[in-house]
Amino acid sequence: MNIDEDTSAWLGCPTPLEMYQHQCALLEDELIQTQVMLRKARANIGGLVQMNDLLATGKAKAETELRMAMADLSRANVHTSEMSKDIMGLKMIASQNEHLRVENQCLRLQLRVLKGPQP
């Protein structure tokens, strides 16, 4: 049995040229697929850039609104503090008024006792 037999002439075995042509066809298909994927990737990148721009704009707007809200809150805190001082002053006056009213009633009662019964 001869093992070194040339099998290139057998039926169904491709010639070197056919193998190169097949390899070229495979490479062309890969190249086409790569180009399609590249186009999709570029479109995705474009979409991501747009989304990033929108998010950056939204972030800037939100930061501006936050600063405005913080300023409003600060003004409200100052106003509340001033009103709290006014309320405390009014409470002190009300307390003094009540104390004087009670003292006045006591003095009036003592005066009635000292004057005696009235006809």
Side-chain angles (χ1 to χ4, degrees), residues 61-75:
K61 181 180 176 186
E63 286 175 342
T64 302
E65 290 174 0
L66 177 63
R67 279 193 294 277
M68 290 171 47
M70 294 292 280
D72 289 344
L73 182 61
S74 178
R75 282 191 294 273

Side-chain angles (χ1 to χ4, degrees), residues 37-48:
M37 290 171 35
L38 183 60
R39 277 190 215 102
K40 287 181 183 177
R42 285 180 179 157
N44 286 341
I45 290 170
L48 290 173

Side-chain angles (χ1 to χ4, degrees), residues 1 8-9 12 36-37 43 47 52 59 70 81 83 85-86 93-94 97 99 108 114 116 118:
M1 179 168 190
S8 63
V36 168
M37 290 171 35
N52 187 45
K59 179 182 176 239
M70 294 292 280
S81 177
M83 288 183 71
K85 289 177 188 175
D86 292 342
I93 291 170
N97 184 17
H99 175 71
R108 285 177 68 189
L114 289 175
Q118 303 239 341

